[in-house]
């Protein structure tokens, strides 16, 4: 079991649906991240939150909308996605952004399929 | 922009062999380098973190070395076991210690 919990584990949605991915950690970490990972490729950074504020947006399309309601929760709201958005979405957290002594802790991801 | 390569892309070995996985990166202005393991359909698990001032780190049967000036790191796995089968990714940080870039990974299969 990982210390970063992601729900749901699997999600199938149509291109007109609206859904949300959820990520939760209780390690007191103040930095949280969303990554997108396609099959047999490394994770690609999407967003970084530091102390509940968005600090990095890697030019992600607006159909992906992140939200950090509190220091333990991170959401990714999805709307009007495209088939190429099908991927494994990983959430991670760390003590702080740029803290070289502390690694990122990853959840097991949400496997997203867009029909 | 940091470019990361890993060699080999895939490796299949019998149980008990000692292995070396290689990671190369183009920008040597890093603060640390991490090695991760990813099992199929799972997230990444941090194995070792080497700070730029260090040359190696050890954890059990794993040993990672870092040659920052030449842009290289190696992960040595001693006495491999079937449970070591996974994809291994390296991640050099930027100059602020942020590990946002990952290599393409080495897919390791250890046969019983």
């Amino acid at each position: 079991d990982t210390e970063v919990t992601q729900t749901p584990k699997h999600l199938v949605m149509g291109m007109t649906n609206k859904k949300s991915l959820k990520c939760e950690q209780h390690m007191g970490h103040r930095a949280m991240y969303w990554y997108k990972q396609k099959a047999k490729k490394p994770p690609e950074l999407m967003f970084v939150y530091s102390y509940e504020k968005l600090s990095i947006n890697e030019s992600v399309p607006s159909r992906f909308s992140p939200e950090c309601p509190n220091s333990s929760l991170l959401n990714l709201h999805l709307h009007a996605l495209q088939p190429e958005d099908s991927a494994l979405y990983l959430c991670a957290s760390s003590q702080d952004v740029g803290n070289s002594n502390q690694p990122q802790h990853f959840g097991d991801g949400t496997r997203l399929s867009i029909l | 922009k940091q470019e990361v390569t890993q060699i080999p892309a895939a490796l299949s070995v019998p149980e008990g062999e000692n292995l070396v996985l290689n990671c190369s990166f183009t920008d040597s202005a890093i603060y640390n380098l991490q090695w991760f393991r990813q099992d199929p359909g799972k997230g990444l698990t941090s194995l070792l973190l080497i700070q730029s001032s260090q040359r190696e780190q050890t954890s059990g049967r794993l040993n990672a070395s870092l040659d920052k000036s030449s842009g290289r790191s190696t992960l040595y796995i001693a006495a491999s076991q079937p449970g070591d089968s996974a994809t291994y990714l390296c991640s050099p940080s930027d100059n602020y210690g942020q590990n946002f870039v990952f290599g393409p990974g080495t897919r390791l299969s250890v046969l019983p």
Side-chain angles (χ1 to χ4, degrees):
Chain A
D1 290 342
T2 64
E3 296 167 303
V4 176
T5 303
Q6 291 188 243
T7 55
K9 293 189 185 302
H10 302 276
L11 179 61
V12 179
M13 58 187 287
M15 290 190 284
T16 59
N17 291 157
K18 286 185 180 181
K19 296 286 185 183
S20 297
L21 309 185
K22 181 178 177 180
C23 174
E24 192 167 4
Q25 58 88 13
H26 295 288
M27 295 177 282
H29 290 172
R30 303 315 299 264
M32 297 186 77
Y33 315 82
W34 281 115
Y35 290 87
K36 173 182 178 180
Q37 186 176 27
K38 301 286 278 186
K40 298 189 177 181
K41 297 290 187 182
E44 296 177 352
L45 183 68
M46 299 175 71
F47 303 104
V48 178
Y49 272 84
S50 178
Y51 290 84
E52 301 164 44
K53 292 190 189 314
L54 183 64
S55 62
I56 296 177
N57 176 342
E58 289 288 301
S59 302
V60 179
S62 60
R63 56 186 185 269
F64 295 92
S65 175
E67 178 195 19
C68 189
N70 59 58
S71 59
S72 300
L73 281 174
L74 186 66
N75 298 320
L76 186 62
H77 302 298
L78 314 172
H79 174 54
L81 295 193
Q82 304 297 310
E84 61 265 28
D85 297 323
S86 297
L88 180 67
Y89 288 83
L90 294 166
C91 173
S93 70
S94 65
Q95 187 163 337
D96 197 355
V97 178
N99 185 329
S100 67
N101 293 325
Q102 301 297 327
Q104 294 180 46
H105 294 251
F106 283 80
D108 282 340
T110 293
R111 176 74 60 189
L112 177 64
S113 298
I114 307 300
L115 301 178
Chain B
K1 179 186 174 185
Q2 181 74 274
E3 302 287 343
V4 187
T5 56
Q6 290 188 243
I7 294 174
L11 185 61
S12 183
V13 299
E15 182 177 6
E17 283 205 0
N18 300 326
L19 311 170
V20 176
L21 309 182
N22 298 290
C23 170
S24 298
F25 47 94
T26 55
D27 186 351
S28 61
I30 66 171
Y31 212 79
N32 68 58
L33 185 138
Q34 291 191 49
W35 281 93
F36 291 87
R37 166 187 174 140
Q38 186 172 29
D39 293 289
K42 298 290 188 180
L44 279 67
T45 300
S46 181
L47 298 173
L48 290 165
L49 182 153
I50 314 173
Q51 295 190 52
S52 61
S53 57
Q54 300 172 320
R55 291 197 63 85
E56 63 179 62
Q57 276 282 352
T58 298
S59 175
R61 294 182 294 107
L62 306 179
N63 175 277
S65 66
L66 174 63
D67 185 343
K68 179 183 167 182
S69 61
S70 68
R72 294 179 184 175
S73 177
T74 61
L75 179 66
Y76 177 81
I77 303 176
S80 58
Q81 302 172 358
D84 295 330
S85 298
T87 296
Y88 292 80
L89 300 98
C90 66
S91 175
S93 77
D94 59 19
N95 202 31
Y96 301 98
Q98 301 177 124
N99 297 80
F100 295 150
V101 176
F102 297 82
T106 293
R107 289 188 302 281
L108 173 64
S109 178
V110 181
L111 307 174

